[in-house]
Amino acid sequence: TFVVTDNCVKCKYTDCVEVCPVDCFYEGPNFLAIHPDECIDCALCEPECPAAAIYAEDEVPEDMQEYIELNAELAEVWPNISEKKDPLPDAEEWDGVADKLQYLER
Ligand code: SF4
Ligand code: F3S
């Protein structure tokens, strides 16, 4: 499965959802999650993210491991998203800021 990680928080560009052939992205207030049981590992979303926030599960950086469980948990409770929308208003300012997990809203 693929995993959405730290740099999506407070950016949420949503380019990723447009290319997913199985529509397995789920939307929270300021983050998206991939449902691990639905992702077919096509890898199409990874290069689409302007924030480079998406990784294959086995390539998730050491300091972002908790996002693996978070994607699974949040994809169960958030609504599906399959159409691109505008990024969050201050996405550009937050793109690249480290350790944004503390800002993740549920
Ligand atoms: Fe969707 Fe493919 Fe990305 Fe999985 S790897 S979330 S199936 S686009
Ligand atoms: Fe997030 Fe990147 Fe998608 S910022 S919403 S994972 S395009």
Side-chain angles (χ1 to χ4, degrees):
T1 188
F2 278 64
V3 178
V4 183
T5 66
D6 204 72
N7 208 27
C8 180
V9 177
K10 281 186 159 284
C11 291
K12 203 169 79 171
Y13 285 107
T14 72
D15 301 66
C16 53
V17 307
E18 289 251 294
V19 298
C20 182
V22 295
D23 293 344
C24 64
F25 282 90
Y26 294 82
E27 183 186 22
N30 64 4
F31 184 70
L32 293 195
I34 292 171
H35 198 305
D37 298 338
E38 297 173 1
C39 173
I40 57 169
D41 274 333
C42 74
L44 288 175
C45 57
E46 185 180 348
E48 290 301 317
C49 175
I54 303 177
Y55 293 86
E57 183 174 6
D58 59 2
E59 289 170 2
V60 173
E62 209 45 56
D63 59 345
M64 297 184 197
Q65 288 290 311
E66 55 200 309
Y67 279 95
I68 297 172
E69 266 306 306
L70 259 180
N71 275 245
E73 178 192 333
L74 298 172
E76 282 288 335
V77 294
W78 282 347
N80 190 260
I81 174 171
S82 59
E83 281 177 29
K84 182 174 162 53
K85 54 163 76 171
D86 288 340
L88 292 173
D90 46 4
E92 268 183 59
E93 286 91 281
W94 284 98
D95 189 350
V97 174
D99 299 328
K100 294 191 280 183
L101 183 56
Q102 57 191 311
Y103 306 118
L104 192 148
E105 294 170 36
R106 289 167 180 258

